[in-house]
Amino acid sequence: MLRRTLLAAPLALLAAPALAQAVAAPLMRTVWTIASSEGVDALAFLGPLSGKPFYADHYPDELAAFKPRLGEETMEALMSLHAEAEAVGGLLWPGLTLIFSGGPDATIEDLLAALDAAETVLEPPFRASVYWDVADWDRFIAGRDRLRLVLTGLRDAGFAAFRNERIAGPAERKTAELTALFSRLDIIAEQERLLGRALEPGIRVELSWFCRPHGVKVQGQRFITHVAASDQIMVLTAAHEILHPPFDMQGPVARACYAVLEADPLFSRILAEKDPGTGYNSLEGILNEDTCQALDQIIQERLGLAFRPPAARWNRADQGMHVLAAGLYGTLMAEGYDRTGGNLEAWMLEAATTGKLSPSRLHAAAARVLEKPVDRLWTTPAAA
């Protein structure tokens, strides 16, 4: 499961020319839906409840008020689920939300009902999705009893009312604000142009209170983001999240890319030295995320929404690990792909087989974008 963290930027950056261009589009491809879900927020709250600073630092007041309501057995079950997810390089609540998103998840009761009937309610859509992973499913089923205990504990401790006190007003205001803004922005058309394939027109934005610091893509064209995020961040999250996965991460194109990247010592170092808490703890995760970041940077720039230049963005984000994103972006821009669009899957296969992803060419492209020497593309965090 993938994690996305975007920094706030002023709505003023939604430049008038870009909006005029979106308004003038002859056909509006994108159909926006804005909603919120108690069930999704219950899963998201499992992050802060772990006590890990990555999550907990965003919710000190909420944890002080709610955590004492949960019993020792509930917390022990939760921490064991976190430990199992981390042991395989995963993040608990994004992974759970991905699986649950194939079924009803409006309330905790919906989650519990889906959990009890997981083989018939949750497994078929998960198996049919691009995210299917047998190990993830087996781990989900193995943890079912503990997860039921945790969700029941949240329900019985009054989570629904606790959440509603915080999100009801902000969600109502944000929904009205985003409805007006999104009606002018055709994100799907840009994504189709760059991917070279048709997408469903609908984008569902799920407003959450407890998801910080993540923005998370789940099954379908649906993503979760914090209700207090700026309007621009909502747009940029949509521009990014719907791209996942940019192509089949287990298919022949991905395998061709892995073969090249696995032989590159730079990516072995990044995976070995970075903080696992940043996410993307596998080569598959890096390829998936960084391809999408390269494309969403192009979308931001074309719509006049780029809140950071590429160097500032990728030198700062996640300890500077997104070297592949910079290299792909630099190569795509040099070839004019931002203007022409094309079939991304075909482009990636050609890049993997003709040397564009080789260290000599990819590192040079990344160095130009990141504005740093080739031998300093990645600096071990402990030595930085």
Side-chain angles (χ1 to χ4, degrees):
M1 164 54 59
L2 305 168
R3 178 188 60 74
R4 255 60 61 189
T5 302
L6 294 171
L7 300 177
L11 182 58
L13 291 179
L14 290 172
L19 293 178
Q21 178 183 355
V23 171
L27 291 174
M28 186 74 169
R29 285 282 296 139
T30 311
V31 178
W32 298 91
T33 300
I34 302 104
S36 66
S37 162
E38 171 196 314
V40 167
D41 254 334
L43 295 172
F45 197 34
L46 302 185
L49 283 172
S50 71
K52 299 178 184 301
F54 181 72
Y55 298 110
D57 286 354
H58 296 277
Y59 298 100
D61 295 338
E62 289 88 342
L63 290 173
F66 194 88
K67 199 169 184 178
R69 303 183 191 181
L70 300 175
E72 182 177 346
E73 188 178 9
T74 299
M75 289 305 302
E76 287 177 355
L78 174 60
M79 296 311 294
S80 71
L81 292 170
H82 271 286
E84 289 175 4
E86 291 169 3
V88 295
L91 298 170
L92 179 64
W93 85 257
L96 291 176
T97 307
L98 176 64
I99 293 175
F100 274 112
S101 67
D105 60 11
T107 66
I108 293 178
E109 290 293 351
D110 286 334
L111 298 181
L112 288 168
L115 186 62
D116 287 340
E119 289 81 0
T120 56
V121 174
L122 299 179
E123 183 177 0
F126 185 41
R127 186 180 288 273
S129 78
V130 295
Y131 302 106
W132 169 251
D133 185 281
V134 66
D136 288 347
W137 178 254
D138 289 346
R139 191 164 53 254
F140 177 78
I141 293 300
R144 173 158 45 185
D145 290 344
R146 285 170 291 157
L147 183 55
R148 184 185 297 108
L149 177 63
V150 171
L151 293 174
T152 301
L154 286 174
R155 181 198 64 191
D156 294 348
F159 177 79
F162 180 78
R163 167 190 177 266
N164 194 57
E165 290 171 0
R166 287 153 179 80
I167 198 173
E172 182 178 359
R173 292 189 293 273
K174 182 60 73 171
T175 297
E177 194 174 295
L178 292 177
T179 299
L181 172 62
F182 286 168
S183 67
R184 299 173 286 171
L185 296 176
D186 199 356
I187 296 291
I188 291 293
E190 276 297 302
Q191 292 169 329
E192 289 178 329
R193 191 180 68 83
L194 295 177
L195 292 173
R197 68 173 189 270
L199 300 172
E200 293 296 322
I203 299 179
R204 180 182 175 93
V205 181
E206 200 82 45
L207 303 177
S208 167
W209 187 263
F210 290 108
C211 69
R212 282 176 171 162
H214 293 314
V216 172
K217 170 74 164 55
V218 292
Q219 293 181 49
Q221 294 184 176
R222 176 185 179 193
F223 68 88
I224 301 159
T225 189
H226 195 272
V227 67
S230 72
D231 291 354
Q232 187 190 28
I233 296 309
M234 298 284 188
V235 174
L236 300 186
T237 304
H240 176 95
E241 297 293 351
I242 304 305
L243 295 168
H244 281 291
F247 44 87
D248 183 355
M249 290 292 107
Q250 302 300 323
V253 173
R255 292 197 296 271
C257 294
Y258 298 145
V260 179
L261 299 177
E262 284 171 353
D264 187 338
L266 174 63
F267 295 103
S268 297
R269 282 188 58 215
I270 290 173
L271 286 169
E273 297 173 359
K274 76 180 192 66
D275 179 0
T278 59
Y280 324 118
N281 294 313
S282 67
L283 198 57
E284 176 181 336
I286 290 177
L287 178 62
N288 189 340
E289 173 65 11
D290 280 19
T291 303
C292 292
Q293 288 203 18
L295 296 180
D296 87 52
Q297 185 69 27
I298 292 173
I299 293 172
Q300 292 176 45
E301 292 169 1
R302 282 181 55 82
L303 295 180
L305 305 177
F307 66 97
R308 276 188 174 177
R313 175 186 184 180
W314 287 315
N315 281 324
R316 299 178 189 177
D318 299 321
Q319 300 179 310
M321 66 166 287
H322 298 293
V323 175
L324 178 59
L328 290 174
Y329 168 84
T331 306
L332 288 165
M333 293 294 288
E335 295 185 3
Y337 193 95
D338 58 314
R339 301 187 304 275
T340 65
N343 184 304
L344 180 74
E345 193 165 15
W347 189 92
M348 291 295 294
L349 180 61
E350 192 260 346
T353 55
T354 62
K356 293 179 187 178
L357 299 186
S358 65
S360 61
R361 295 174 65 178
L362 183 71
H363 295 190
R368 288 191 293 272
V369 170
L370 297 175
E371 302 172 0
K372 58 172 58 173
V374 170
D375 61 357
R376 299 286 292 175
L377 291 175
W378 169 254
T379 303
T380 305

